[in-house]
Amino acid sequence: MNRKLQAIAQRNLIDNYQPEQLGVSWLGAAFNHSMSLYYALSTLGLIGWFAFFMNWIGK
């Protein structure tokens, strides 16, 4: 990601650009607020499939 930011700075003729260290572990990336919607939707999907296979729905 730092290389991309550096390339953008060069393309936009920004001199003396000092990028910050962008270090995130996979655990920090997996459990953040942006991913919570995906986890909620996948949980609802799994519950729906479980209910379908148990013949609670879809008869």
Side-chain angles (χ1 to χ4, degrees), residues 12-26:
N12 292 324
L13 301 174
I14 299 173
D15 295 327
N16 299 325
Y17 176 71
Q18 300 295 325
E20 295 181 21
Q21 184 65 16
L22 300 175
V24 177
S25 68
W26 70 270

Side-chain angles (χ1 to χ4, degrees), residues 43-57:
T43 301
L44 288 174
L46 289 173
I47 290 170
W49 279 109
F50 180 75
F52 176 75
F53 286 125
M54 298 297 292
N55 289 326
W56 297 340
I57 60 173

Side-chain angles (χ1 to χ4, degrees), residues 5-41:
L5 292 175
Q6 198 72 15
I8 291 170
Q10 287 176 353
R11 192 169 47 239
N12 292 324
L13 301 174
I14 299 173
D15 295 327
N16 299 325
Y17 176 71
Q18 300 295 325
E20 295 181 21
Q21 184 65 16
L22 300 175
V24 177
S25 68
W26 70 270
L27 190 63
F31 296 104
N32 59 33
H33 294 293
S34 300
M35 293 298 291
S36 62
L37 176 63
Y38 297 109
Y39 294 136
L41 292 175

